[in-house]
């Protein structure tokens, strides 16, 4: 009893004794004092109750905020823990569980995933199926969660509820492989509540499921994964639970309510964005490391930027060999076709300045990029940001994003742009080196034409195409005549120049989809698809004319002697189905024609009179009617045989 009341009672007793008052008056006074003491105790108890209630409310709000933040890291979003709580508590009440178990379900539902703090983000948010090792890693979250909460000192069975909520009715669960009623009842309830809400919500690896489909899955797993009695309780009371969820604005497809929650829980979106950035960067690094294809690397880079940074157009520029200008190697968004392959001089415009200074350009006028050439885009964009791409401390290009809506790119945009670009630069640099090495491996360094290895690859492609379409193609073998005299007279340096220029001349007579390679020495091979006999004859006439008319000027001297060319052709599949077969066939008739031409020239010189063209043609057709196309360009004789398809 409070000291003040005891003191008052002592004084009253003394007064009554001193003044000799009656017992009735004394009793009345005592009753009045007792009433005052009772009201004092009631007020004190009410105050303590309010304090406990406020502390409990703050404690519960703290727990809920923590749980929501954990779910945000898992990209689950707002509502999962609250809905799971409504399901779990509702099932507990329907089963008439004691208050302690109800409180364990209330708290356990909020904190059941706290152990996911120990699981790496790239596993939690992986969009594909988890590997066995990754799946095992996720299983630690129930025991880790229980360990985190052990020291809190809950006076209800919160810890076992969380620790065992992934045990299965058939004993195949974790962490201890309990089965049936060995599993704590609250853990069995939480298992069903958590699973149903998880099915109803979207996840990084799958979309949300409709109500009926989720019900069927839960029902189908009663007796194996779940306690059948608890599944039955959930489904019988599902409408009631969903009504409560709706009243709290937590329904699965209530966009307006969720929109309000987004505002009220702005920190949730910040956490989700932060973890989404980590996942995007992880996926970017993983995907880049698995590909050395330049086009794939550029496309992936632009797509990932689009997931993180707003733009209307994104262009990736790559520097040329001398590093004097860059070309748009990949463009996505508005005006992509018009901007693809556009050239930017280093130092010219905003992108050119980024290339020259090796520094990020932001808040720049995008018209600076177009005023020198593509003036039709002047005024179309409001702002841009351009960042240099540097790999191994070497400038390789720049990425520029253009926006028609933003007034400027902010610091957060630039931070993301720099982060993604840093990862992409290394991958693009490796892809460029890979392309360069591959080009060298497939290119003749002297002429710049494809080499014999590249010829074999292209031949295989032509065979596959011809087989699919039941079509044919021609293989032309070209050998230069008189080339040795150039080497002997002017040296190999001039000879190399002659080979390069003759290759360019021959290439100029072919179609874009024809293929020309240097086969070796002074020999070239061309693959000519879908060509008739007349077209081959016309092609050979044009090649002969172009080659014989070409003159190579030599510094400080006269022009080098002209060269001629002899040609033999074989057709696929009539003269062979393999590369070696067609080469042998074409080579045989080409050299036979060379020998015949030399014989003719000797006879012609001795007789000092020209051989009529018709006679030569008849003779050669009789001699080589079973061979391929024979072309002796020095004599302007073209023979077509049945080998030409």
């Amino acid at each position: 009893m409070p000291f003040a009341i005891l003191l008052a009672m002592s004084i009253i007793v003394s007064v009554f004794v001193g003044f000799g008052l009656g017992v009735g008056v004394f009793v009345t006074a005592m009753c009045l004092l007792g009433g005052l003491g009772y009201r004092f105790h009631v007020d004190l108890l009410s105050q303590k109750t309010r304090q406990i209630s406020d502390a409990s409310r703050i404690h519960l709000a703290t727990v809920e905020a923590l749980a929501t933040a954990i779910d945000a890291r898992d990209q689950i979003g707002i509502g999962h823990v609250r809905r799971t709580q409504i399901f779990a508590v509702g099932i507990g009440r329907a089963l008439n569980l004691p208050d302690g178990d109800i409180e364990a379900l209330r708290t356990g539902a909020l904190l059941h995933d706290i152990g996911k703090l120990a699981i790496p983000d790239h596993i939690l948010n992986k969009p594909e199926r988890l590997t066995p090792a990754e799946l095992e890693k996720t299983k630690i979250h129930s025991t880790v969660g229980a360990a985190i909460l052990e020291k809190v000192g809950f006076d209800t069975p919160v810890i076992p509820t969380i620790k065992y909520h992934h045990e299965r009715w058939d004993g195949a669960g974790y962490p201890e492989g309990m089965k049936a009623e060995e599993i704590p009842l609250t853990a069995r309830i939480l298992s069903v509540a958590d699973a149903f809400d998880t099915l109803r919500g979207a996840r990084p690896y799958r979309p949300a499921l409709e109500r009926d489909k989720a019900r069927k899955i839960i029902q189908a797993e009663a007796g194996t994964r779940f306690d059948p009695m608890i599944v039955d309780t959930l489904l019988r009371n599902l409408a009631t639970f969903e009504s409560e969820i709706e009243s709290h604005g937590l329904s699965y497809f209530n966009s307006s309510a969720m929109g309000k929650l987004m505002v009220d829980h702005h920190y949730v979106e910040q956490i989700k964005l932060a973890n989404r950035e980590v996942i995007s960067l992880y996926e970017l690094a993983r995907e880049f490391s698995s590909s050395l294809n330049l086009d794939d690397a550029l496309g992936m880079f632009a797509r990932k930027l689009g997931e993180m940074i707003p733009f209307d157009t994104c262009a990736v520029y790559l520097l040329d060999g001398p590093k004097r200008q860059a070309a748009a190697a990949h463009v996505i968004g508005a005006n992509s076709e018009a901007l693809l392959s556009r050239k930017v001089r280093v130092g010219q415009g905003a992108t050119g300045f980024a290339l020259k200074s090796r520094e990020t350009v932001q808040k720049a006028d995008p018209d600076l990029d177009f005023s020198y050439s593509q003036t039709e885009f002047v005024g179309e964009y409001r702002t841009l940001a351009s960042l240099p791409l540097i790999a191994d401390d070497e400038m390789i290009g720049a990425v520029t994003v253009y926006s028609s809506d933003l007034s400027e790119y902010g610091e957060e945009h630039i931070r993301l742009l720099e982060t993604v670009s840093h990862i992409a630069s290394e991958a693009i640099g490796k892809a460029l080196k890979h392309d360069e090495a591959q080009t060298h491996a497939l290119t003749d360094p002297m002429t710049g034409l494809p080499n014999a290895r590249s010829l074999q690859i292209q031949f295989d492609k032509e065979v596959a195409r011809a087989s699919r379409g039941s079509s044919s193609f021609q293989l032309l073998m070209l050998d230069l005549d008189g080339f040795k005299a150039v080497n002997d007279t002017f040296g190999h340096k001039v000879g190399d120049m002659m080979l390069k220029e003759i290759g360019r001349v021959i290439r100029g007579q072919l179609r874009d989809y024809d293929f020309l390679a240097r086969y070796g020495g002074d020999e070239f091979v061309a693959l000519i698809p879908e060509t008739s006999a007349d077209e081959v004859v016309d092609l050979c006439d044009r090649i002969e004319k172009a080659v014989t008319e070409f003159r190579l000027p030599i510094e400080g001297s006269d022009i080098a002697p002209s060269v001629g060319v002899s040609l033999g052709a074989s057709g696929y599949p009539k003269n062979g189905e393999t590369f070696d077969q067609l080469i042998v066939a074409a080579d045989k008739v080409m050299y036979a024609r060379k020998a015949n031409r030399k014989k003719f020239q000797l006879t012609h010189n001795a007789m000092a009179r020209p051989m009529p063209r018709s006679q030569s043609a008849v003779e050669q057709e009789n001699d080589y009617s079973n061979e391929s196309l024979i072309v002796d360009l020095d004599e302007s004789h073209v023979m077509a045989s049945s080998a030409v398809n």
Side-chain angles (χ1 to χ4, degrees):
M1 184 175 293
F3 175 76
I5 294 177
L6 290 174
L7 180 62
M9 291 180 66
S10 299
I11 294 172
I12 291 172
V13 170
S14 300
V15 170
F16 271 84
V17 172
F19 287 93
L21 298 177
V23 174
V25 176
F26 176 78
V27 170
T28 301
M30 288 296 99
C31 289
L32 289 172
L33 283 174
L36 288 173
Y38 173 75
R39 283 196 297 274
F40 180 84
H41 275 288
V42 169
D43 290 344
L44 184 62
L45 181 61
S46 177
Q47 181 182 357
K48 291 293 185 183
T49 301
R50 284 195 302 271
Q51 289 175 350
I52 292 171
S53 177
D54 287 345
S56 177
R57 178 179 54 79
I58 293 171
H59 169 73
L60 191 61
T62 302
V63 169
E64 183 179 338
L66 175 61
T68 303
I70 292 169
D71 275 353
R73 175 178 174 268
D74 199 10
Q75 300 298 304
I76 291 176
I78 301 167
H80 169 62
V81 294
R82 291 278 303 281
R83 289 190 298 265
T84 301
Q85 184 186 62
I86 290 171
F87 286 131
V89 171
I91 293 171
R93 286 173 175 163
L95 296 175
N96 295 315
L97 266 60
D99 290 345
D101 287 351
I102 296 295
E103 287 306 309
L105 289 171
R106 192 188 310 278
T107 304
L110 290 179
L111 292 173
H112 69 281
D113 281 337
I114 191 172
K116 287 184 177 180
L117 292 170
I119 302 175
D121 292 318
H122 70 270
I123 295 178
L124 280 179
N125 299 284
K126 186 178 180 180
E128 305 93 14
R129 181 183 296 275
L130 297 181
T131 66
E134 290 170 337
L135 185 59
E136 286 302 312
K137 183 65 176 178
T138 66
K139 291 180 179 180
I140 69 171
H141 82 277
S142 58
T143 52
V144 170
I148 291 173
L149 299 171
E150 275 179 352
K151 295 184 179 180
V152 173
F154 293 106
D155 54 5
T156 61
V158 173
I159 304 302
T161 301
I162 291 173
K163 185 173 183 178
Y164 301 117
H165 79 281
H166 278 292
E167 298 286 3
R168 291 171 54 108
W169 185 255
D170 61 6
Y174 60 89
E176 295 181 10
M178 295 179 174
K179 64 183 299 184
E181 294 182 358
E182 294 175 357
I183 308 168
L185 179 58
T186 52
R188 283 180 270 152
I189 292 172
L190 179 57
S191 176
V192 173
D194 180 36
F196 183 78
D197 188 73
T198 298
L199 291 171
R200 294 284 281 122
R203 292 295 183 269
Y205 48 87
R206 60 153 179 80
L209 300 185
E210 295 292 336
R211 181 180 189 267
D212 288 344
K213 189 169 184 179
R215 286 178 68 255
K216 290 177 181 177
I217 292 174
I218 293 292
Q219 197 165 26
E221 294 190 331
T224 54
R225 180 178 175 185
F226 305 119
D227 183 339
M229 179 265 295
I230 294 173
V231 170
D232 181 66
T233 303
L234 170 71
L235 298 182
R236 282 190 291 104
N237 295 275
L238 188 56
T240 301
F241 301 155
E242 289 174 335
S243 177
E244 184 178 353
I245 287 171
E246 180 72 31
S247 69
H248 286 85
L250 296 169
S251 59
Y252 298 97
F253 304 108
N254 187 344
S255 57
S256 59
M258 293 306 289
K260 182 178 183 301
L261 282 169
M262 289 294 186
V263 175
D264 294 342
H265 296 77
H266 180 61
Y267 69 91
V268 172
E269 283 307 296
Q270 294 297 322
I271 295 172
K272 288 176 68 177
L273 287 172
N275 283 278
R276 197 176 302 148
E277 178 182 335
V278 171
I279 295 304
S280 294
L281 295 177
Y282 168 79
E283 290 177 350
L284 186 67
R286 183 186 63 179
E287 292 172 11
F288 271 142
S289 66
S290 64
S291 175
L292 288 174
N293 182 278
L294 180 59
D295 290 338
D296 290 347
L298 295 176
M300 193 187 311
F301 177 33
R303 287 195 306 274
K304 288 298 180 183
L305 282 180
E307 294 174 7
M308 306 178 76
I309 301 168
F311 59 73
D312 290 287
T313 305
C314 173
V316 184
Y317 298 89
L318 297 180
L319 284 165
D320 60 9
K323 299 189 182 301
R324 296 192 183 95
Q325 64 178 11
H330 189 87
V331 184
I332 63 171
N335 307 311
S336 57
E337 291 186 7
L339 295 178
L340 187 63
S341 299
R342 76 180 294 259
K343 301 292 193 300
V344 174
R345 292 180 61 84
V346 173
Q348 191 176 79
T351 300
F353 183 79
L355 290 167
K356 182 178 181 179
S357 65
R358 298 169 66 105
E359 295 180 357
T360 300
V361 175
Q362 80 183 100
K363 303 178 183 179
D365 184 356
D367 290 349
L368 295 173
D369 262 13
F370 305 113
S371 57
Y372 294 96
S373 55
Q374 291 167 298
T375 55
E376 66 270 26
F377 298 124
V378 170
E380 182 163 342
Y381 301 102
R382 294 182 64 190
T383 191
L384 67 72
S386 186
L387 185 83
L389 300 177
I390 302 172
D392 293 330
D393 202 37
E394 179 183 354
M395 177 72 71
I396 60 173
V399 57
T400 305
V401 288
Y402 305 88
S403 176
S404 301
D405 299 323
L406 297 177
S407 59
E408 63 181 42
Y409 281 100
E411 295 302 323
E412 182 66 8
H413 295 134
I414 299 301
R415 183 188 68 80
L416 290 171
L417 182 62
E418 290 175 344
T419 302
V420 177
S421 297
H422 177 72
I423 297 173
S425 294
E426 297 299 325
I428 293 171
K430 290 179 181 178
L432 283 169
K433 290 180 180 178
H434 177 75
D435 270 18
E436 183 179 357
Q438 191 173 44
T439 299
H440 288 164
L442 298 175
T443 303
D444 172 53
M446 185 183 299
T447 62
L449 291 172
N451 60 15
R453 180 183 176 191
S454 183
L455 174 62
Q456 179 66 64
I457 294 172
Q458 185 64 28
F459 177 84
D460 293 339
K461 292 180 181 178
E462 289 295 339
V463 169
R465 182 195 59 78
S467 299
R468 288 193 303 269
S470 299
S471 58
S472 63
F473 63 90
Q474 302 295 323
L475 184 149
L476 305 184
M477 188 80 177
L478 300 96
D479 183 55
L480 299 186
D481 298 319
F483 177 72
K484 186 175 183 300
V486 177
N487 273 337
D488 292 344
T489 305
F490 296 97
H492 287 284
K493 184 176 181 180
V494 173
D496 292 347
M497 293 173 57
M498 176 67 80
L499 277 177
K500 181 177 182 179
E501 291 303 314
I502 290 297
R504 181 183 59 78
V505 168
I506 297 172
R507 176 70 260 183
Q509 301 305 315
L510 301 177
R511 300 166 298 187
D512 290 340
Y513 53 87
D514 293 335
F515 186 86
L516 178 68
R518 184 189 178 200
Y519 189 56
D522 57 357
E523 293 179 329
F524 298 84
V525 172
L527 300 178
I528 315 295
E530 301 175 358
T531 306
S532 67
D534 290 340
E535 289 171 333
V536 170
V537 171
D538 179 65
L539 171 62
C540 294
D541 284 340
R542 288 188 282 107
I543 292 175
E544 182 270 341
K545 186 174 185 298
V547 171
T548 55
E549 290 180 353
F550 175 75
R551 297 292 184 273
L552 178 68
I554 301 174
E555 185 177 353
S557 178
D558 296 331
I559 60 174
S562 63
V563 296
V565 61
S566 296
L567 185 148
S570 56
Y572 174 90
K574 187 165 186 177
N575 296 109
E577 296 186 355
T578 68
F579 179 76
D580 288 341
Q581 288 172 345
L582 293 181
I583 282 288
V584 168
D587 191 65
K588 180 180 178 181
V589 296
M590 181 186 70
Y591 278 100
R593 181 56 185 163
K594 274 181 178 287
N596 190 68
R597 176 177 55 80
K598 289 179 180 179
K599 181 180 178 181
F600 163 72
Q601 286 178 336
L602 290 173
T603 304
H604 172 68
N605 292 337
M607 298 177 64
R609 62 182 179 83
M611 176 182 283
R613 177 184 175 104
S614 59
Q615 181 182 355
S616 175
V618 171
E619 289 177 355
Q620 295 307 319
E621 187 168 356
N622 289 334
D623 289 341
Y624 304 106
S625 58
N626 293 325
E627 303 293 352
S628 304
L629 172 69
I630 305 169
V631 181
D632 182 348
L633 295 181
D634 283 352
E635 293 184 353
S636 301
H637 289 179
V638 179
M639 310 288 176
S641 76
S642 60
V644 179
N645 295 289

